[in-house]
Amino acid sequence: MTTLTAKDKQTVKAFWAKVSGKSEDIGAAAVARMLVVYPQTKTYFSHWQDQSPNSPAARKHGKTVMMGVGDAVTKIDDLKEGLKELSELHAFILRVDPANFKILSHNILVVMAVMFPTDFTPDVHVSLDKFLAAVSLALAEKYR
Amino acid sequence: MVEWTDFERATIKDIFSKIEYDVVGPATLARCLVVYPWTQRYFGKFGNLYNAAGIAENAMVSKHGITILHGLDRAVKNMDDIKNTYAELSVLHSEKLHVDPDNFKLLADCLTIVVAARFGNGFTGEVQAAFQKFMAVVVSSLGKQYH
């Protein structure tokens, strides 16, 4: 995994500033897509009464996830340290297989393309992809 | 044999009938070369690939992007036998072009992103699932003849 360059950090912060107003919608759309396109991810939500992609539980979860992403943007200079508690949560309590971080990241990128087609340029895409990979790595830190 | 639902067949035909090949093709290849720069290894003779602007303006990239996208037409027309449809192309990519088949997925992901941007909310989760399934079959078929 590569480190984020100064350009990556700048690009991510600038793009996030543009899109964070819609972060709930982004999160809801990304989780909804994930549940539809990768149905195996539903196994983590068997405790939801309503596992349909646009259920209130799914929307709420999307909001939670994007709040985490937004928080990660503020901690972009030291994700490992900054996301330590979230990593412990995912490692010991949620025990989400880290392969799923890649899946959700992909769907976040698709939603960015859908919602911000002109702003989501190739340069923004590569920096955001790297950022989400770095976040995923930081989240997996405490697993073993 | 891959089973396709009516929805999946209709979705794939619909997408490929609506996209502008000379916009989507170049945008997809250009995005791949920027987001996954190691893929530039296959395009040493293409000239300026130094940055996103250079790649976007590169005429050889654009032309090749269109070629690649039209290559998908064969699969769209032969959804029930993509594996055999692409046997020859698979051999070409393996024996002549020496492309690492892992790269096919990277290009497929870029195409998904470009198509998503093109269709906006029309690119629903269900449409995305059908499109990704189609591309997964294409990618697998292109890798089949490698040995």
Side-chain angles (χ1 to χ4, degrees):
Chain A
M1 279 297 155
T2 47
T3 17
L4 300 173
T5 63
K7 181 176 174 230
D8 286 326
K9 294 182 189 179
Q10 199 181 17
T11 303
V12 168
K13 285 186 195 167
F15 184 68
W16 186 250
K18 262 189 211 169
V19 311
S20 57
K22 293 244 151 96
S23 88
E24 273 190 50
D25 289 335
I26 296 170
V31 166
R33 273 175 200 277
M34 182 185 75
L35 296 170
V36 170
V37 183
Y38 303 89
Q40 69 271 22
T41 56
K42 289 191 291 191
T43 55
Y44 290 98
F45 306 108
S46 51
H47 57 284
W48 288 351
Q49 284 256 357
D50 184 358
Q51 284 189 10
S52 67
N54 297 300
S55 66
R59 268 206 80 90
K60 180 163 176 265
H61 195 62
K63 181 178 170 182
T64 303
V65 165
M66 284 325 273
M67 270 171 55
V69 171
D71 185 46
V73 175
T74 66
K75 297 174 171 157
I76 202 167
D77 289 316
D78 191 353
L79 289 170
K80 203 165 87 171
E81 183 57 37
L83 300 182
K84 203 168 59 173
E85 272 142 26
L86 264 181
S87 182
E88 282 166 2
L89 175 75
H90 284 76
F92 304 127
I93 307 200
L94 302 176
R95 286 179 291 197
V96 176
D97 188 317
N100 294 291
F101 300 152
K102 212 163 190 241
I103 290 176
L104 186 54
S105 298
H106 169 73
N107 285 298
I108 291 173
L109 295 176
V110 171
V111 170
M112 295 304 187
V114 167
M115 290 177 65
F116 308 100
T118 31
D119 291 304
F120 193 59
T121 62
D123 274 335
V124 169
H125 180 165
V126 62
S127 294
L128 193 60
D129 191 20
K130 286 175 74 177
F131 170 68
L132 291 173
V135 169
S136 301
L137 202 62
L139 278 178
E141 184 66 29
K142 296 287 177 188
Y143 272 59
R144 56 177 176 173
Chain B
M1 241 232 358
V2 181
E3 303 273 337
W4 302 100
T5 64
D6 290 340
F7 173 79
E8 286 165 346
R9 287 179 195 276
T11 296
I12 297 307
K13 295 218 179 310
D14 186 57
I15 289 177
F16 281 88
S17 72
K18 288 192 172 133
I19 50 175
E20 305 87 350
Y21 281 63
D22 55 3
V23 171
V24 170
T28 299
L29 183 56
R31 193 168 281 259
C32 189
L33 295 171
V34 171
V35 179
Y36 309 107
W38 53 94
T39 57
Q40 291 172 22
R41 74 189 301 283
Y42 303 108
F43 303 102
K45 301 201 168 90
F46 273 36
N48 179 8
L49 298 179
Y50 303 133
N51 50 39
I55 290 170
E57 289 159 8
N58 187 311
M60 288 179 84
V61 169
S62 296
K63 181 160 177 267
H64 197 62
I66 298 173
T67 300
I68 292 174
L69 198 55
H70 276 299
L72 290 176
D73 289 342
R74 269 183 263 189
V76 175
K77 294 196 175 96
N78 292 291
M79 281 177 72
D80 288 313
D81 197 9
I82 295 178
K83 191 169 87 176
N84 283 317
T85 301
Y86 279 151
E88 240 182 76
L89 262 181
S90 178
V91 170
L92 174 80
H93 281 76
S94 163
E95 316 265 295
K96 187 150 179 276
L97 306 175
H98 307 294
V99 177
D100 180 343
D102 282 346
N103 291 164
F104 301 146
K105 178 149 198 313
L106 302 180
L107 189 62
D109 281 350
C110 286
L111 180 57
T112 301
I113 296 278
V114 171
V115 167
R118 161 70 183 73
F119 286 93
N121 288 314
F123 195 67
T124 61
E126 287 78 9
V127 168
Q128 181 183 343
F131 190 74
Q132 288 193 195
K133 179 176 166 181
F134 174 75
M135 290 310 296
V137 175
V138 165
V139 162
S140 165
S141 303
L142 276 177
K144 259 302 183 289
Q145 305 302 323
Y146 280 65
H147 61 95

